[in-house]
Amino acid sequence: MLLVGVLIWGRETLPRERRTRGGLKAVFASAGEVLRNRAYVGYVLVFGFSFAALFAYISASPFVIQTMLGFDAGTYSLLFALNAVAITATSAAAAALAGKVELRRMIGIGLTVAVVAAFVLLLLALSGVPTLPTLIAFGVLQASMGFIFGNATTLAVGQAAEHAGTASAFLGFLQFILAAATAPVVGLAGEASAVPMGIAMVVAMIVAVWAFGFAKRPRTR
């Protein structure tokens, strides 16, 4: 359906004089230009590693909530849905605040909350995964992402407006490569421990915070 829609209604909106002819040479040229932009790379890393922390939750939460905490599948589904509502609500709040609050400030708030939640989850995993604190920390971690994802995407693609397609491609590529790498890591200890999940979250968020600073620091000669 998408293919048919593009063939029938899709039109190039870029002025003719700004279009590229395509081909591998043009692809590699635009990729090189995008990846030389320090701010772009920084915001892509912020998005990618924050998503890795979220994916650690997505991958580990079934065995943490069902196997370790003893909830049934229906209750797990409800808890997962509530966390989805949390990230939807904070994403909507971030969109409403755009133009009123600086995007970097919102990302900074989201990263701060996410780092705290990740460390708390690691400590909870080390102390036996108490039920209520763990569920609250899961929700807080997921809610924090609403202030990170959209704003990091906006700032990243805005840095490479002339090559928005290439910029979006790298963003999606890194997002799912890191997600794929995170999924097996959280299960290293099997269903007996949530510590790998906590470590994966903490490491991912530390890298995301570093990347946030990297995007802002001036270039060195």
Side-chain angles (χ1 to χ4, degrees):
M1 290 175 65
L2 284 170
L3 176 60
V4 171
V6 168
L7 292 174
I8 296 176
W9 295 292
R11 296 290 182 271
E12 175 59 74
T13 58
L14 204 62
R16 187 172 297 277
E17 64 275 9
R18 293 176 59 194
R19 299 179 190 176
T20 59
R21 297 179 62 83
L24 286 177
K25 184 178 180 180
V27 169
F28 285 118
S30 62
E33 186 174 338
V34 165
L35 293 176
R36 285 192 296 270
N37 187 315
R38 182 188 189 116
Y40 169 78
V41 172
Y43 291 125
V44 166
L45 292 174
V46 168
F47 182 99
F49 280 93
S50 296
F51 188 82
L54 177 63
F55 210 81
Y57 156 76
I58 293 171
S59 302
S61 61
F63 74 81
V64 171
I65 294 176
Q66 292 181 249
T67 304
M68 300 181 72
L69 300 183
F71 289 99
D72 59 28
T75 304
Y76 168 72
S77 300
L78 177 61
L79 293 170
F80 195 90
L82 289 174
N83 285 337
V85 170
I87 193 173
T88 302
T90 52
S91 297
L97 291 171
K100 303 173 184 176
V101 179
E102 185 185 6
L103 299 189
R104 272 190 64 88
R105 185 177 180 186
M106 284 194 279
I107 295 174
I109 292 170
L111 288 174
T112 300
V113 174
V115 167
V116 171
F119 272 102
V120 168
L121 282 165
L122 176 57
L123 293 174
L124 293 173
L126 290 168
S127 61
V129 196
T131 301
L132 186 59
T134 299
L135 295 179
I136 292 173
F138 273 153
V140 171
L141 177 77
Q142 189 148 343
S144 68
M145 298 300 165
F147 288 101
I148 299 172
F149 291 157
N151 292 321
T153 300
T154 299
L155 291 177
V157 177
Q159 291 291 325
E162 292 297 318
H163 305 289
T166 302
S168 296
F170 278 119
L171 191 72
F173 174 76
L174 182 67
Q175 172 186 359
F176 290 108
I177 283 292
L178 290 174
T182 302
V185 169
V186 302
L188 287 177
E191 297 183 351
S193 174
V195 172
M197 175 200 72
I199 293 173
M201 288 177 173
V202 167
V203 171
M205 290 315 306
I206 288 174
V207 176
V209 170
W210 171 83
F212 186 59
F214 176 83
K216 187 67 173 179
R217 289 195 298 270
R219 292 176 180 270
T220 55
R221 291 187 180 276

